[in-house]
Amino acid sequence: MPRVTTHRLLSSLMNVSTATSAKCFALILPYFACGSRKVRRRYQLKASSDNVLTGSHYLDGNHAAAEGAIAAGCKFFAGYPITPSTEIAERVSRRFPLIGGIFIQMEDELASMGAILGASWGGVKSMSCTSGPGFSLMMENFGLGIMLETPCVLVNVQRGGPSTGLPTLPGQADMMQARWGSHGDYEVIALAPVSPQESFELAIHAFNLSEKYRMPILIMTDECVGHMTEKVVIPPPEEIELVERRYTDKPAGKAWPFELTDDLISPMLPVGKGYKFHITGLTHDERGYPIINAEAQEKNVRRLIDKVNKHVDEIIWIEEKDVEDADIVIMAYGISARVMQPAITKARKEGIKVGQIKMVTVWPFPEKRVRELADKVKALIMVEMNYGQVFLELDRCAAGKCRTYLAGHAGGTVHDPENIYNTIKEAAK
Amino acid sequence: MSIQVERPAEEKHPKEKLLRMDRIPHIWCPTCGLGTTVTAMASALEQLELDLNNVAVVSGIGCTGRVAGYMKLDSFHTTHGRAIPFALGLQIARPDMKVIVFSGDGDLISIGGNHFIHTARRNVDITVICVNNFIYAMTGGQVAPTTPITARTATSPFGNYEHPFNLPLLAASSGAVYVARWTALHIRRLTTAIKEAITKKGFSFVEVVAPCSTLYARLNKLGTGLDLMRFYHDNSVIKHGADVREVDVDYQSKIVVGKFLDIEKPTYIDCVNDGNKRVFGDKYKPYGGNHGDN
């Protein structure tokens, strides 16, 4: 089931045949991680092209995310130093001069987020990275990005919070902020890599999603994945498929920046081509003109929400293992999806039928799948480094049909697998 | 009492080419200084004979923040205080375009103050036009970092006690290469200043002292918008090249106007390109945006 989902996802993103996307899947998504990594295919090492450092590397998750962004064609990066995300900015600042990109260290995170929106409207793929406190500062302009429907990618290398919290230690407690952090009502797409390899791949995927759905995409990684160094295999450039920006094919005077289309994703208008369009963070109509009333609000906000909801089956990417006959299904994302492996192995050895779901996309939440499972299993468990954020969604979708458990803690370290095992044992009672 | 004026059907707005006529009438109050300021900007663009496809306007939030919505150019109405970083990203992505930030004193200098000084420091090639009405007008007339000492506002009901910013000094000391100040009365001089600012390579700054008759004038019993224009007429002192340390605006006193600074300095992108060429030689792939090839 997960494989099929992924193929469909890639096909829909790249408008290529399922066969091609299957090949692509094998190449750019070479494994289903969850602890035991298997590179299914040996890559041919060859000279790097301009942007893509094809070959095997020993990289941490942050450097790998930077390479993914570069491979995806990112040419503008604005950021502000903050532990534990800074290595992304550092890598980009070293790499960009040789590939025609520009890195700018802004005065703060508010400016970083604003600058990547401006650059994106200038026609350049753009990105920023940050961590907890910086993520808070970016939230207002993140909302502008949602409202202006601006493709760009933002990486949050999560650390312990609240406030300054634990700058050098991992956390996963910004997940609800990712979902609701900017004021107002909207939908987001958030990805969570489990390894440096996935940091590379999901950076590319995030850029593809941002262009496809014309919105900012969040990569909600964490300090552990960000600073974990592992083998990262970068495929040759011709095997990395990219989604390019869709611009209107209508002439100036007939095209509007938020034109209503069947798929609810409006083609963008290019700057400097005589469209002389207007866009605003105010509630607006399809022309981009501000309209200050409830009717316009309904249309505008409804479309921002429906744009994601209508495509939720294409967007959601979860990887399931041993779920079909499971009594208990354990769900996790990011580093927690790896840390739970010993606990699952131990429980299964004892005969407890535990299945697992790794959430590559955390938002939108796989509501439909969780509702199906809640009808079939005895218990659902969420493993995350917080005291119940994505768990709340799990619990909501379970709707009392099965028991729900949170294996959570306040962050600062990854889970002790023993504690996850104890939660499984309790769920199995 | 309203006066109906008969207009011939074929009569067109003189600035029609540069205004979104489908959004006129605008929301600004009668005698607001924004009308003449936008006219000066439109005249400047006409006189420069630029390719208008290659001019973009970025605004923040507030009365002046609405300028982007009325100018018939690629125009961006962003968040409060963040027009400059948005413009920076746009300009770096499209170095061939003229990017003009048009916003108010509260937006650019209070909430956006950090972006203002840092973008001036980098000498990013944008033009910033700051309409200074000494007050937060859109929200009902609260005290601003430009409000002169003793002036009354909705949140300084007993008179402002704080020292205000001297905007030309702030811009010049932060690194701007062009700094001018005019009032909304000096339409032709303001037009010339905006032309020079747009033409200038680097961070250029024009302060426009403008009347807010609905709030600033009413709260301070200064009369009508016309009275304020008369005040500018009687109290503006033109001093080109004046020392920016001496151009503070005090409450209802002389306003020093003119072109204070016009110097040459490499822009942000020039510095990046030169620096990288020194380091990488022929290997350096200069960043030039996509030059409209999208």
Side-chain angles (χ1 to χ4, degrees), chain A residues 254-307:
Chain A
K254 300 212 164 141
W256 299 110
F258 304 101
E259 185 194 332
L260 198 59
T261 53
D262 289 341
D263 63 2
L264 306 179
I265 308 159
S266 315
M268 281 182 84
L269 302 191
V271 293
K273 297 282 190 188
Y275 286 93
K276 296 177 183 169
F277 61 89
H278 178 62
I279 54 172
T280 173
L282 286 165
T283 295
H284 47 260
D285 61 12
E286 63 182 296
R287 297 172 300 172
Y289 290 1
I291 310 281
I292 310 301
N293 64 40
E295 196 191 346
Q297 172 77 355
E298 184 61 29
K299 278 188 193 161
N300 189 353
V301 175
R302 192 71 237 177
R303 196 175 59 75
L304 291 178
I305 290 171
D306 287 347
K307 180 169 80 165

Side-chain angles (χ1 to χ4, degrees), chain A residues 305-377:
Chain A
I305 290 171
D306 287 347
K307 180 169 80 165
V308 174
N309 285 345
K310 191 183 161 104
H311 301 97
V312 79
D313 291 337
E314 298 163 25
I315 296 166
I316 287 176
W317 177 357
I318 54 175
E319 295 181 354
E320 301 187 359
K321 197 173 164 189
D322 305 323
V323 169
E324 285 314 314
D325 63 342
D327 290 330
I328 294 166
V329 172
I330 186 161
M331 297 180 72
Y333 53 90
I335 191 62
S336 301
R338 285 178 80 167
V339 172
M340 71 184 181
Q341 296 308 316
I344 294 170
T345 308
K346 189 174 171 186
R348 286 185 71 84
K349 269 184 190 161
E350 290 176 12
I352 304 172
K353 287 183 177 172
V354 186
Q356 59 173 292
I357 297 178
K358 182 183 85 169
M359 303 161 75
V360 180
T361 51
V362 181
W363 306 121
F365 186 75
E367 175 160 350
K368 204 161 75 182
R369 185 61 180 145
V370 172
R371 285 191 191 283
E372 278 168 15
L373 289 172
D375 275 331
K376 294 199 278 188
V377 301

Side-chain angles (χ1 to χ4, degrees), chain A residues 116-293:
Chain A
I116 67 169
L117 297 180
S120 182
W121 278 96
V124 177
K125 286 186 179 178
S126 62
M127 181 193 201
S128 188
C129 72
T130 190
S131 185
F135 196 56
S136 296
L137 291 177
M138 287 180 172
M139 279 295 113
E140 189 198 16
N141 272 341
F142 179 77
L144 180 68
I146 292 283
M147 197 65 157
L148 299 182
E149 301 183 50
T150 307
C152 59
V153 173
L154 173 57
V155 185
N156 179 358
V157 187
Q158 293 175 86
R159 64 195 224 182
S163 189
T164 313
L166 299 169
T168 58
L169 299 173
Q172 287 182 318
D174 302 348
M175 297 311 298
M176 275 298 175
Q177 188 183 20
R179 176 66 190 86
W180 298 110
S182 200
H183 53 280
D185 219 350
Y186 57 93
E187 291 285 333
V188 292
I189 301 176
L191 311 169
V194 301
S195 64
Q197 180 70 39
E198 246 189 39
S199 299
F200 171 82
E201 289 158 4
L202 293 188
I204 296 170
H205 188 54
F207 273 97
N208 285 347
L209 288 168
S210 78
E211 295 297 345
K212 163 101 183 177
Y213 297 107
R214 199 185 142 177
M215 61 191 287
I217 304 294
L218 296 168
I219 299 178
M220 300 296 291
T221 182
D222 55 73
E223 186 276 336
C224 192
V225 170
H227 286 163
M228 167 200 292
T229 304
E230 286 183 335
K231 183 178 178 183
V232 174
V233 179
I234 299 180
E238 63 274 14
E239 289 171 11
I240 297 171
E241 298 205 40
L242 301 178
V243 176
E244 292 306 325
R245 188 161 298 181
R246 193 158 60 105
Y247 284 107
T248 185
D249 50 13
K250 293 185 177 167
K254 300 212 164 141
W256 299 110
F258 304 101
E259 185 194 332
L260 198 59
T261 53
D262 289 341
D263 63 2
L264 306 179
I265 308 159
S266 315
M268 281 182 84
L269 302 191
V271 293
K273 297 282 190 188
Y275 286 93
K276 296 177 183 169
F277 61 89
H278 178 62
I279 54 172
T280 173
L282 286 165
T283 295
H284 47 260
D285 61 12
E286 63 182 296
R287 297 172 300 172
Y289 290 1
I291 310 281
I292 310 301
N293 64 40

